[in-house]
Amino acid sequence: MVLSTATASAEQDPTGPVQPNIIAAAIYSVAQPTLAPPGANDWNCKPSAAHPNPVLLSNGTTANAYENWAGLSRRLADEGYCVFAGNFGGSPGAFLQTVGPIAGTAGQMASFGDKVLKATGAAKLDVVGHSQGGMNPRYWIKNLGGADKIGKLIGLSPSNYGTSLFGLLSAIQAIPPARDLVGAACPACNEQSTGSAFLTDLNAGGDTVPGVDYTVIQTRYDEVVTPYTNAYLKPAPNVRNVLLQNVCALDFTDHLGIPYDPIAQREVLNALDPQHAAAPKCVFVPPVIS
């Protein structure tokens, strides 16, 4: 059911319908970029004993919350989770989000997370993020007190060690006028370049902290985080790196498709509740863009 601004209650943000992929969701959200994804932002939701941590969804670069999560949010809500999503790192009400300096985006997310914890009464929340959204909560954890507030961080194709974008982004960084042009429109793009000052600082002294469980879910066919192995965190007792093609060789999903991929979604559910983990159904999953 779609909730309009006029009919939504004060406790439920306006939401849109479930979408089959990120492209359909992006098109739908052009006219309504502030919609929450389906099943999200019910501020009356109280976590159950089975799922005591609310789930905060963290958007990728340029993506608004509805565009990124108009599939997984409904699935999580149907599984009994309190789900929340917001738009950070962009102009209020704009279609493009998560483009500003990553530290600022993480700060806005941290404030939103505090609001979620206060509304739900939960002691901690879990974060599920896509692309930059799977990496930037680590700034919150490391620098903004998130280690005491986040139980699990689950990244879908996260840019943990940046990307060369098949050499293009690295080449741009070597040409100051081009770098500055990109940085004016999308500071977060430059900060996600492999070897950037931001990522060097973020990963210094270890890329994880004790007390938080980290899961990375990645696809071999990632065309944005390149090489795809840059998504992975260093091995540690609290780190699990998952390659989708090791779970199901028939899964050809790419970077854009992974938030909507049913196999990846099953792996998210398994990471959130490992005591009730289930094997994904291995089916052919084509990429969003061939």
Side-chain angles (χ1 to χ4, degrees):
M1 180 178 69
V2 180
L3 297 176
S4 69
T5 302
T7 59
S9 72
E11 295 80 18
Q12 171 72 61
D13 289 352
T15 64
V18 173
Q19 298 290 349
N21 56 59
I22 199 168
I23 294 175
I27 292 170
Y28 189 92
S29 70
V30 168
Q32 302 178 83
T34 61
L35 283 176
N41 295 4
D42 177 358
W43 295 96
N44 277 335
C45 188
K46 298 300 180 184
S48 65
H51 303 308
N53 290 1
V55 176
L56 173 56
L57 301 174
S58 175
N59 314 332
T61 307
T62 75
N64 59 61
Y66 180 81
E67 174 186 349
N68 221 147
W69 305 113
L72 181 59
S73 62
R74 181 72 268 168
R75 185 167 182 182
L76 290 171
D78 288 346
E79 292 284 339
Y81 290 92
C82 292
V83 185
F84 296 88
N87 290 319
F88 320 109
S91 299
F95 174 72
L96 296 178
Q97 296 291 324
T98 331
V99 293
I102 294 172
T105 299
Q108 293 174 23
M109 190 187 313
S111 296
F112 187 85
D114 286 341
K115 180 182 176 183
V116 169
L117 291 174
K118 182 178 180 180
T120 60
K124 289 189 176 184
L125 51 76
D126 296 330
V127 180
V128 178
H130 175 225
S131 194
Q132 183 200 146
M135 174 272 290
N136 64 36
R138 291 178 47 228
Y139 187 93
W140 174 10
I141 291 169
K142 183 175 182 178
N143 299 302
L144 303 174
D148 295 328
K149 299 175 182 180
I150 296 173
K152 298 181 177 71
L153 172 58
I154 302 164
L156 295 164
S157 297
S159 52
N160 283 317
Y161 280 85
T163 177
S164 69
L165 204 60
F166 292 108
L168 176 60
L169 190 55
S170 296
I172 287 172
Q173 302 309 301
I175 306 172
R179 180 193 63 215
D180 294 346
L181 184 63
V182 170
C186 180
C189 295
N190 284 345
E191 290 179 330
Q192 289 175 94
S193 177
T194 302
S196 72
F198 175 85
L199 288 173
T200 298
D201 181 69
L202 181 65
N203 292 320
D207 53 16
T208 59
V209 302
V212 179
D213 290 329
Y214 299 82
T215 301
V216 171
I217 302 167
Q218 176 60 318
T219 172
R220 189 185 304 276
Y221 304 106
D222 194 326
E223 77 284 18
V224 174
V225 174
T226 62
Y228 74 87
T229 51
N230 275 13
Y232 293 141
L233 294 167
K234 302 300 183 184
N238 58 337
V239 171
R240 180 170 176 255
N241 292 313
V242 178
L243 181 65
L244 284 179
Q245 286 70 41
N246 287 342
V247 177
C248 177
L250 296 175
D251 192 333
F252 291 91
T253 195
D254 56 8
H255 187 88
L256 291 179
I258 198 168
Y260 289 81
D261 173 31
I263 298 170
Q265 289 183 359
R266 180 67 254 177
E267 288 296 333
V268 169
L269 291 170
N270 289 349
L272 288 170
D273 187 5
Q275 291 185 339
H276 297 93
K281 182 179 180 181
C282 185
V283 295
F284 172 69
V285 181
V288 172
I289 300 175
S290 60

mmCIF file of all heavy atoms in Angstrom, residues 201-248:
data_model
loop_
_atom_site.group_PDB
_atom_site.id
_atom_site.type_symbol
_atom_site.label_atom_id
_atom_site.label_comp_id
_atom_site.label_asym_id
_atom_site.label_seq_id
_atom_site.Cartn_x
_atom_site.Cartn_y
_atom_site.Cartn_z
ATOM 1 N N ASP A 201 42.869 6.943 6.091
ATOM 2 C CA ASP A 201 42.639 7.249 7.501
ATOM 3 C C ASP A 201 41.612 6.302 8.110
ATOM 4 O O ASP A 201 41.782 5.821 9.233
ATOM 5 C CB ASP A 201 42.169 8.692 7.645
ATOM 6 C CG ASP A 201 41.942 9.083 9.089
ATOM 7 O OD1 ASP A 201 42.921 9.186 9.842
ATOM 8 O OD2 ASP A 201 40.760 9.282 9.478
ATOM 9 N N LEU A 202 40.549 6.010 7.361
ATOM 10 C CA LEU A 202 39.498 5.129 7.887
ATOM 11 C C LEU A 202 40.036 3.742 8.193
ATOM 12 O O LEU A 202 39.648 3.118 9.190
ATOM 13 C CB LEU A 202 38.351 5.035 6.877
ATOM 14 C CG LEU A 202 37.161 4.164 7.287
ATOM 15 C CD1 LEU A 202 36.449 4.745 8.505
ATOM 16 C CD2 LEU A 202 36.183 3.998 6.128
ATOM 17 N N ASN A 203 40.926 3.242 7.349
ATOM 18 C CA ASN A 203 41.421 1.875 7.492
ATOM 19 C C ASN A 203 42.689 1.775 8.339
ATOM 20 O O ASN A 203 43.149 0.667 8.627
ATOM 21 C CB ASN A 203 41.672 1.276 6.108
ATOM 22 C CG ASN A 203 40.378 1.043 5.340
ATOM 23 O OD1 ASN A 203 39.387 0.620 5.911
ATOM 24 N ND2 ASN A 203 40.392 1.342 4.048
ATOM 25 N N ALA A 204 43.219 2.918 8.746
ATOM 26 C CA ALA A 204 44.441 2.904 9.552
ATOM 27 C C ALA A 204 44.171 2.291 10.926
ATOM 28 O O ALA A 204 43.137 2.539 11.539
ATOM 29 C CB ALA A 204 44.972 4.331 9.713
ATOM 30 N N GLY A 205 45.095 1.478 11.386
ATOM 31 C CA GLY A 205 44.953 0.874 12.706
ATOM 32 C C GLY A 205 43.979 -0.276 12.756
ATOM 33 O O GLY A 205 43.584 -0.727 13.842
ATOM 34 N N GLY A 206 43.565 -0.786 11.585
ATOM 35 C CA GLY A 206 42.590 -1.886 11.525
ATOM 36 C C GLY A 206 41.264 -1.394 11.000
ATOM 37 O O GLY A 206 40.799 -0.313 11.360
ATOM 38 N N ASP A 207 40.653 -2.183 10.133
ATOM 39 C CA ASP A 207 39.420 -1.722 9.486
ATOM 40 C C ASP A 207 38.156 -2.122 10.233
ATOM 41 O O ASP A 207 37.048 -1.809 9.796
ATOM 42 C CB ASP A 207 39.349 -2.188 8.029
ATOM 43 C CG ASP A 207 39.540 -3.696 7.860
ATOM 44 O OD1 ASP A 207 39.422 -4.430 8.870
ATOM 45 O OD2 ASP A 207 39.804 -4.134 6.723
ATOM 46 N N THR A 208 38.298 -2.812 11.370
ATOM 47 C CA THR A 208 37.138 -3.169 12.181
ATOM 48 C C THR A 208 37.454 -2.887 13.650
ATOM 49 O O THR A 208 38.609 -2.649 14.015
ATOM 50 C CB THR A 208 36.776 -4.659 12.026
ATOM 51 O OG1 THR A 208 37.899 -5.469 12.429
ATOM 52 C CG2 THR A 208 36.419 -4.981 10.586
ATOM 53 N N VAL A 209 36.417 -2.915 14.478
ATOM 54 C CA VAL A 209 36.602 -2.739 15.920
ATOM 55 C C VAL A 209 35.928 -3.902 16.640
ATOM 56 O O VAL A 209 34.921 -4.445 16.171
ATOM 57 C CB VAL A 209 36.015 -1.395 16.412
ATOM 58 C CG1 VAL A 209 36.657 -0.229 15.691
ATOM 59 C CG2 VAL A 209 34.504 -1.360 16.245
ATOM 60 N N PRO A 210 36.457 -4.316 17.783
ATOM 61 C CA PRO A 210 35.817 -5.388 18.544
ATOM 62 C C PRO A 210 34.425 -4.972 18.998
ATOM 63 O O PRO A 210 34.147 -3.792 19.221
ATOM 64 C CB PRO A 210 36.761 -5.561 19.743
ATOM 65 C CG PRO A 210 38.063 -4.970 19.321
ATOM 66 C CD PRO A 210 37.717 -3.850 18.395
ATOM 67 N N GLY A 211 33.546 -5.965 19.098
ATOM 68 C CA GLY A 211 32.198 -5.703 19.588
ATOM 69 C C GLY A 211 31.166 -5.491 18.510
ATOM 70 O O GLY A 211 29.963 -5.508 18.784
ATOM 71 N N VAL A 212 31.604 -5.261 17.282
ATOM 72 C CA VAL A 212 30.700 -5.128 16.137
ATOM 73 C C VAL A 212 30.950 -6.318 15.217
ATOM 74 O O VAL A 212 32.098 -6.665 14.939
ATOM 75 C CB VAL A 212 30.941 -3.811 15.370
ATOM 76 C CG1 VAL A 212 30.015 -3.709 14.164
ATOM 77 C CG2 VAL A 212 30.774 -2.607 16.288
ATOM 78 N N ASP A 213 29.878 -6.956 14.747
ATOM 79 C CA ASP A 213 30.001 -8.049 13.783
ATOM 80 C C ASP A 213 29.850 -7.489 12.375
ATOM 81 O O ASP A 213 28.884 -6.768 12.083
ATOM 82 C CB ASP A 213 28.928 -9.107 14.035
ATOM 83 C CG ASP A 213 29.159 -9.878 15.319
ATOM 84 O OD1 ASP A 213 30.337 -10.054 15.701
ATOM 85 O OD2 ASP A 213 28.177 -10.285 15.963
ATOM 86 N N TYR A 214 30.801 -7.843 11.501
ATOM 87 C CA TYR A 214 30.828 -7.317 10.136
ATOM 88 C C TYR A 214 30.590 -8.446 9.135
ATOM 89 O O TYR A 214 31.211 -9.510 9.226
ATOM 90 C CB TYR A 214 32.187 -6.691 9.826
ATOM 91 C CG TYR A 214 32.579 -5.524 10.704
ATOM 92 C CD1 TYR A 214 33.140 -5.733 11.971
ATOM 93 C CD2 TYR A 214 32.433 -4.215 10.260
ATOM 94 C CE1 TYR A 214 33.533 -4.665 12.767
ATOM 95 C CE2 TYR A 214 32.825 -3.141 11.056
ATOM 96 C CZ TYR A 214 33.370 -3.378 12.303
ATOM 97 O OH TYR A 214 33.758 -2.327 13.094
ATOM 98 N N THR A 215 29.715 -8.189 8.177
ATOM 99 C CA THR A 215 29.518 -9.115 7.063
ATOM 100 C C THR A 215 29.614 -8.331 5.769
ATOM 101 O O THR A 215 28.982 -7.274 5.619
ATOM 102 C CB THR A 215 28.145 -9.808 7.132
ATOM 103 O OG1 THR A 215 28.038 -10.535 8.360
ATOM 104 C CG2 THR A 215 27.961 -10.764 5.963
ATOM 105 N N VAL A 216 30.404 -8.821 4.834
ATOM 106 C CA VAL A 216 30.485 -8.252 3.490
ATOM 107 C C VAL A 216 29.907 -9.270 2.515
ATOM 108 O O VAL A 216 30.332 -10.434 2.511
ATOM 109 C CB VAL A 216 31.937 -7.909 3.102
ATOM 110 C CG1 VAL A 216 32.023 -7.518 1.628
ATOM 111 C CG2 VAL A 216 32.474 -6.798 3.985
ATOM 112 N N ILE A 217 28.952 -8.841 1.714
ATOM 113 C CA ILE A 217 28.344 -9.685 0.690
ATOM 114 C C ILE A 217 28.683 -9.054 -0.654
ATOM 115 O O ILE A 217 28.283 -7.920 -0.942
ATOM 116 C CB ILE A 217 26.820 -9.787 0.887
ATOM 117 C CG1 ILE A 217 26.505 -10.357 2.283
ATOM 118 C CG2 ILE A 217 26.189 -10.659 -0.198
ATOM 119 C CD1 ILE A 217 25.052 -10.215 2.694
ATOM 120 N N GLN A 218 29.433 -9.765 -1.466
ATOM 121 C CA GLN A 218 29.965 -9.182 -2.698
ATOM 122 C C GLN A 218 29.702 -10.108 -3.880
ATOM 123 O O GLN A 218 29.521 -11.324 -3.727
ATOM 124 C CB GLN A 218 31.466 -8.894 -2.541
ATOM 125 C CG GLN A 218 32.187 -8.373 -3.753
ATOM 126 C CD GLN A 218 31.664 -7.056 -4.295
ATOM 127 O OE1 GLN A 218 30.447 -6.829 -4.369
ATOM 128 N NE2 GLN A 218 32.557 -6.188 -4.708
ATOM 129 N N THR A 219 29.660 -9.487 -5.073
ATOM 130 C CA THR A 219 29.511 -10.226 -6.318
ATOM 131 C C THR A 219 30.764 -10.076 -7.160
ATOM 132 O O THR A 219 31.370 -8.996 -7.228
ATOM 133 C CB THR A 219 28.296 -9.754 -7.124
ATOM 134 O OG1 THR A 219 28.305 -10.381 -8.416
ATOM 135 C CG2 THR A 219 28.279 -8.240 -7.299
ATOM 136 N N ARG A 220 31.140 -11.148 -7.800
ATOM 137 C CA ARG A 220 32.300 -11.131 -8.696
ATOM 138 C C ARG A 220 32.074 -10.173 -9.870
ATOM 139 O O ARG A 220 33.038 -9.696 -10.490
ATOM 140 C CB ARG A 220 32.537 -12.550 -9.231
ATOM 141 C CG ARG A 220 33.827 -12.727 -10.008
ATOM 142 C CD ARG A 220 33.907 -14.133 -10.600
ATOM 143 N NE ARG A 220 33.785 -15.167 -9.593
ATOM 144 C CZ ARG A 220 34.789 -15.624 -8.851
ATOM 145 N NH1 ARG A 220 35.994 -15.089 -8.991
ATOM 146 N NH2 ARG A 220 34.594 -16.588 -7.976
ATOM 147 N N TYR A 221 30.808 -9.875 -10.164
ATOM 148 C CA TYR A 221 30.471 -9.074 -11.340
ATOM 149 C C TYR A 221 30.238 -7.606 -10.992
ATOM 150 O O TYR A 221 29.580 -6.880 -11.743
ATOM 151 C CB TYR A 221 29.251 -9.683 -12.033
ATOM 152 C CG TYR A 221 29.485 -11.129 -12.391
ATOM 153 C CD1 TYR A 221 28.878 -12.150 -11.662
ATOM 154 C CD2 TYR A 221 30.356 -11.481 -13.415
ATOM 155 C CE1 TYR A 221 29.121 -13.484 -11.959
ATOM 156 C CE2 TYR A 221 30.604 -12.811 -13.711
ATOM 157 C CZ TYR A 221 29.984 -13.812 -12.981
ATOM 158 O OH TYR A 221 30.243 -15.130 -13.274
ATOM 159 N N ASP A 222 30.814 -7.171 -9.890
ATOM 160 C CA ASP A 222 30.717 -5.768 -9.500
ATOM 161 C C ASP A 222 31.442 -4.904 -10.525
ATOM 162 O O ASP A 222 32.634 -5.087 -10.765
ATOM 163 C CB ASP A 222 31.332 -5.577 -8.105
ATOM 164 C CG ASP A 222 30.982 -4.248 -7.479
ATOM 165 O OD1 ASP A 222 30.863 -3.250 -8.211
ATOM 166 O OD2 ASP A 222 30.831 -4.202 -6.247
ATOM 167 N N GLU A 223 30.722 -3.973 -11.126
ATOM 168 C CA GLU A 223 31.301 -3.093 -12.131
ATOM 169 C C GLU A 223 31.582 -1.695 -11.579
ATOM 170 O O GLU A 223 32.044 -0.810 -12.314
ATOM 171 C CB GLU A 223 30.369 -2.998 -13.357
ATOM 172 C CG GLU A 223 29.145 -2.112 -13.186
ATOM 173 C CD GLU A 223 28.026 -2.715 -12.350
ATOM 174 O OE1 GLU A 223 28.259 -3.679 -11.597
ATOM 175 O OE2 GLU A 223 26.912 -2.196 -12.450
ATOM 176 N N VAL A 224 31.326 -1.486 -10.296
ATOM 177 C CA VAL A 224 31.564 -0.178 -9.679
ATOM 178 C C VAL A 224 32.728 -0.251 -8.702
ATOM 179 O O VAL A 224 33.663 0.551 -8.766
ATOM 180 C CB VAL A 224 30.292 0.336 -8.982
ATOM 181 C CG1 VAL A 224 30.572 1.626 -8.223
ATOM 182 C CG2 VAL A 224 29.183 0.560 -10.005
ATOM 183 N N VAL A 225 32.693 -1.186 -7.764
ATOM 184 C CA VAL A 225 33.829 -1.413 -6.875
ATOM 185 C C VAL A 225 34.779 -2.369 -7.595
ATOM 186 O O VAL A 225 34.515 -3.565 -7.713
ATOM 187 C CB VAL A 225 33.386 -1.992 -5.525
ATOM 188 C CG1 VAL A 225 34.603 -2.351 -4.668
ATOM 189 C CG2 VAL A 225 32.505 -0.994 -4.779
ATOM 190 N N THR A 226 35.875 -1.803 -8.115
ATOM 191 C CA THR A 226 36.841 -2.604 -8.870
ATOM 192 C C THR A 226 38.237 -2.381 -8.306
ATOM 193 O O THR A 226 38.620 -1.248 -8.028
ATOM 194 C CB THR A 226 36.827 -2.236 -10.356
ATOM 195 O OG1 THR A 226 37.196 -0.868 -10.524
ATOM 196 C CG2 THR A 226 35.435 -2.453 -10.953
ATOM 197 N N PRO A 227 39.011 -3.458 -8.137
ATOM 198 C CA PRO A 227 38.569 -4.845 -8.257
ATOM 199 C C PRO A 227 37.531 -5.185 -7.196
ATOM 200 O O PRO A 227 37.487 -4.530 -6.156
ATOM 201 C CB PRO A 227 39.861 -5.641 -8.054
ATOM 202 C CG PRO A 227 40.713 -4.751 -7.208
ATOM 203 C CD PRO A 227 40.416 -3.357 -7.658
ATOM 204 N N TYR A 228 36.742 -6.193 -7.458
ATOM 205 C CA TYR A 228 35.626 -6.508 -6.551
ATOM 206 C C TYR A 228 36.105 -6.880 -5.154
ATOM 207 O O TYR A 228 35.383 -6.711 -4.170
ATOM 208 C CB TYR A 228 34.751 -7.621 -7.139
ATOM 209 C CG TYR A 228 35.329 -9.010 -7.089
ATOM 210 C CD1 TYR A 228 35.162 -9.842 -5.980
ATOM 211 C CD2 TYR A 228 36.059 -9.520 -8.165
ATOM 212 C CE1 TYR A 228 35.696 -11.122 -5.941
ATOM 213 C CE2 TYR A 228 36.601 -10.801 -8.132
ATOM 214 C CZ TYR A 228 36.418 -11.598 -7.017
ATOM 215 O OH TYR A 228 36.939 -12.865 -6.973
ATOM 216 N N THR A 229 37.350 -7.360 -5.063
ATOM 217 C CA THR A 229 37.889 -7.750 -3.765
ATOM 218 C C THR A 229 38.133 -6.551 -2.843
ATOM 219 O O THR A 229 38.366 -6.734 -1.641
ATOM 220 C CB THR A 229 39.194 -8.533 -3.947
ATOM 221 O OG1 THR A 229 40.069 -7.785 -4.810
ATOM 222 C CG2 THR A 229 38.921 -9.894 -4.582
ATOM 223 N N ASN A 230 38.089 -5.341 -3.377
ATOM 224 C CA ASN A 230 38.241 -4.149 -2.535
ATOM 225 C C ASN A 230 37.072 -3.975 -1.573
ATOM 226 O O ASN A 230 37.145 -3.164 -0.652
ATOM 227 C CB ASN A 230 38.383 -2.887 -3.389
ATOM 228 C CG ASN A 230 39.813 -2.653 -3.834
ATOM 229 O OD1 ASN A 230 40.660 -3.531 -3.720
ATOM 230 N ND2 ASN A 230 40.092 -1.473 -4.357
ATOM 231 N N ALA A 231 36.018 -4.731 -1.787
ATOM 232 C CA ALA A 231 34.878 -4.678 -0.860
ATOM 233 C C ALA A 231 35.199 -5.356 0.465
ATOM 234 O O ALA A 231 34.637 -4.996 1.506
ATOM 235 C CB ALA A 231 33.649 -5.337 -1.488
ATOM 236 N N TYR A 232 36.106 -6.325 0.434
ATOM 237 C CA TYR A 232 36.303 -7.179 1.587
ATOM 238 C C TYR A 232 37.074 -6.485 2.713
ATOM 239 O O TYR A 232 37.961 -5.651 2.472
ATOM 240 C CB TYR A 232 37.066 -8.446 1.183
ATOM 241 C CG TYR A 232 36.292 -9.350 0.262
ATOM 242 C CD1 TYR A 232 36.933 -10.007 -0.786
ATOM 243 C CD2 TYR A 232 34.935 -9.544 0.428
ATOM 244 C CE1 TYR A 232 36.231 -10.849 -1.634
ATOM 245 C CE2 TYR A 232 34.223 -10.384 -0.420
ATOM 246 C CZ TYR A 232 34.873 -11.026 -1.452
ATOM 247 O OH TYR A 232 34.175 -11.852 -2.288
ATOM 248 N N LEU A 233 36.735 -6.866 3.929
ATOM 249 C CA LEU A 233 37.465 -6.441 5.107
ATOM 250 C C LEU A 233 38.539 -7.480 5.437
ATOM 251 O O LEU A 233 38.457 -8.636 5.007
ATOM 252 C CB LEU A 233 36.506 -6.288 6.285
ATOM 253 C CG LEU A 233 35.473 -5.161 6.135
ATOM 254 C CD1 LEU A 233 34.378 -5.297 7.188
ATOM 255 C CD2 LEU A 233 36.140 -3.787 6.226
ATOM 256 N N LYS A 234 39.539 -7.054 6.187
ATOM 257 C CA LYS A 234 40.612 -7.963 6.559
ATOM 258 C C LYS A 234 40.054 -9.083 7.450
ATOM 259 O O LYS A 234 39.152 -8.860 8.260
ATOM 260 C CB LYS A 234 41.706 -7.212 7.306
ATOM 261 C CG LYS A 234 42.326 -6.059 6.524
ATOM 262 C CD LYS A 234 42.973 -6.517 5.237
ATOM 263 C CE LYS A 234 43.648 -5.349 4.523
ATOM 264 N NZ LYS A 234 44.206 -5.751 3.202
ATOM 265 N N PRO A 235 40.593 -10.294 7.319
ATOM 266 C CA PRO A 235 40.114 -11.405 8.150
ATOM 267 C C PRO A 235 40.238 -11.097 9.634
ATOM 268 O O PRO A 235 41.239 -10.548 10.093
ATOM 269 C CB PRO A 235 41.033 -12.559 7.738
ATOM 270 C CG PRO A 235 41.494 -12.215 6.354
ATOM 271 C CD PRO A 235 41.624 -10.722 6.347
ATOM 272 N N ALA A 236 39.204 -11.433 10.375
ATOM 273 C CA ALA A 236 39.161 -11.237 11.820
ATOM 274 C C ALA A 236 38.050 -12.104 12.371
ATOM 275 O O ALA A 236 37.151 -12.532 11.621
ATOM 276 C CB ALA A 236 38.917 -9.766 12.168
ATOM 277 N N PRO A 237 38.059 -12.392 13.674
ATOM 278 C CA PRO A 237 37.003 -13.230 14.247
ATOM 279 C C PRO A 237 35.602 -12.656 14.077
ATOM 280 O O PRO A 237 34.630 -13.425 14.040
ATOM 281 C CB PRO A 237 37.389 -13.306 15.733
ATOM 282 C CG PRO A 237 38.857 -13.070 15.747
ATOM 283 C CD PRO A 237 39.122 -12.092 14.651
ATOM 284 N N ASN A 238 35.486 -11.336 13.958
ATOM 285 C CA ASN A 238 34.173 -10.707 13.829
ATOM 286 C C ASN A 238 33.867 -10.275 12.404
ATOM 287 O O ASN A 238 33.003 -9.435 12.172
ATOM 288 C CB ASN A 238 34.066 -9.495 14.764
ATOM 289 C CG ASN A 238 35.133 -8.444 14.504
ATOM 290 O OD1 ASN A 238 36.190 -8.741 13.960
ATOM 291 N ND2 ASN A 238 34.857 -7.215 14.913
ATOM 292 N N VAL A 239 34.567 -10.865 11.415
ATOM 293 C CA VAL A 239 34.379 -10.523 10.002
ATOM 294 C C VAL A 239 33.993 -11.770 9.214
ATOM 295 O O VAL A 239 34.611 -12.831 9.376
ATOM 296 C CB VAL A 239 35.657 -9.906 9.400
ATOM 297 C CG1 VAL A 239 35.534 -9.762 7.888
ATOM 298 C CG2 VAL A 239 35.957 -8.550 10.032
ATOM 299 N N ARG A 240 32.995 -11.620 8.354
ATOM 300 C CA ARG A 240 32.616 -12.695 7.423
ATOM 301 C C ARG A 240 32.491 -12.081 6.031
ATOM 302 O O ARG A 240 31.662 -11.190 5.801
ATOM 303 C CB ARG A 240 31.296 -13.341 7.840
ATOM 304 C CG ARG A 240 30.837 -14.474 6.921
ATOM 305 C CD ARG A 240 29.658 -15.218 7.524
ATOM 306 N NE ARG A 240 29.152 -16.237 6.611
ATOM 307 C CZ ARG A 240 28.028 -16.123 5.908
ATOM 308 N NH1 ARG A 240 27.267 -15.039 6.044
ATOM 309 N NH2 ARG A 240 27.637 -17.096 5.101
ATOM 310 N N ASN A 241 33.331 -12.523 5.113
ATOM 311 C CA ASN A 241 33.279 -12.082 3.720
ATOM 312 C C ASN A 241 32.615 -13.160 2.871
ATOM 313 O O ASN A 241 33.059 -14.316 2.879
ATOM 314 C CB ASN A 241 34.691 -11.807 3.193
ATOM 315 C CG ASN A 241 35.338 -10.602 3.851
ATOM 316 O OD1 ASN A 241 34.714 -9.555 3.974
ATOM 317 N ND2 ASN A 241 36.589 -10.740 4.261
ATOM 318 N N VAL A 242 31.567 -12.782 2.152
ATOM 319 C CA VAL A 242 30.773 -13.739 1.374
ATOM 320 C C VAL A 242 30.834 -13.348 -0.101
ATOM 321 O O VAL A 242 30.513 -12.208 -0.464
ATOM 322 C CB VAL A 242 29.300 -13.744 1.833
ATOM 323 C CG1 VAL A 242 28.481 -14.718 0.982
ATOM 324 C CG2 VAL A 242 29.194 -14.092 3.305
ATOM 325 N N LEU A 243 31.234 -14.278 -0.955
ATOM 326 C CA LEU A 243 31.146 -14.090 -2.403
ATOM 327 C C LEU A 243 29.906 -14.807 -2.900
ATOM 328 O O LEU A 243 29.773 -16.025 -2.708
ATOM 329 C CB LEU A 243 32.392 -14.643 -3.098
ATOM 330 C CG LEU A 243 32.420 -14.478 -4.626
ATOM 331 C CD1 LEU A 243 32.469 -13.000 -5.015
ATOM 332 C CD2 LEU A 243 33.603 -15.234 -5.230
ATOM 333 N N LEU A 244 29.000 -14.080 -3.511
ATOM 334 C CA LEU A 244 27.721 -14.677 -3.915
ATOM 335 C C LEU A 244 27.906 -15.878 -4.830
ATOM 336 O O LEU A 244 27.143 -16.845 -4.753
ATOM 337 C CB LEU A 244 26.856 -13.623 -4.612
ATOM 338 C CG LEU A 244 26.169 -12.594 -3.738
ATOM 339 C CD1 LEU A 244 25.384 -11.612 -4.584
ATOM 340 C CD2 LEU A 244 25.252 -13.264 -2.716
ATOM 341 N N GLN A 245 28.915 -15.830 -5.694
ATOM 342 C CA GLN A 245 29.093 -16.923 -6.643
ATOM 343 C C GLN A 245 29.594 -18.197 -5.959
ATOM 344 O O GLN A 245 29.495 -19.275 -6.541
ATOM 345 C CB GLN A 245 30.043 -16.499 -7.759
ATOM 346 C CG GLN A 245 29.403 -15.527 -8.753
ATOM 347 C CD GLN A 245 29.134 -14.145 -8.179
ATOM 348 O OE1 GLN A 245 29.960 -13.603 -7.443
ATOM 349 N NE2 GLN A 245 27.983 -13.573 -8.501
ATOM 350 N N ASN A 246 30.112 -18.082 -4.740
ATOM 351 C CA ASN A 246 30.424 -19.277 -3.956
ATOM 352 C C ASN A 246 29.173 -19.869 -3.322
ATOM 353 O O ASN A 246 29.151 -21.046 -2.961
ATOM 354 C CB ASN A 246 31.446 -18.956 -2.867
ATOM 355 C CG ASN A 246 32.833 -18.731 -3.420
ATOM 356 O OD1 ASN A 246 33.132 -19.123 -4.550
ATOM 357 N ND2 ASN A 246 33.687 -18.097 -2.635
ATOM 358 N N VAL A 247 28.149 -19.048 -3.190
ATOM 359 C CA VAL A 247 26.859 -19.502 -2.660
ATOM 360 C C VAL A 247 26.014 -20.084 -3.784
ATOM 361 O O VAL A 247 25.361 -21.119 -3.630
ATOM 362 C CB VAL A 247 26.114 -18.338 -1.976
ATOM 363 C CG1 VAL A 247 24.734 -18.766 -1.491
ATOM 364 C CG2 VAL A 247 26.941 -17.774 -0.830
ATOM 365 N N CYS A 248 26.041 -19.396 -4.933
ATOM 366 C CA CYS A 248 25.260 -19.826 -6.095
ATOM 367 C C CYS A 248 25.969 -19.364 -7.364
ATOM 368 O O CYS A 248 26.001 -18.161 -7.658
ATOM 369 C CB CYS A 248 23.845 -19.235 -6.031
ATOM 370 S SG CYS A 248 22.830 -19.628 -7.473
#
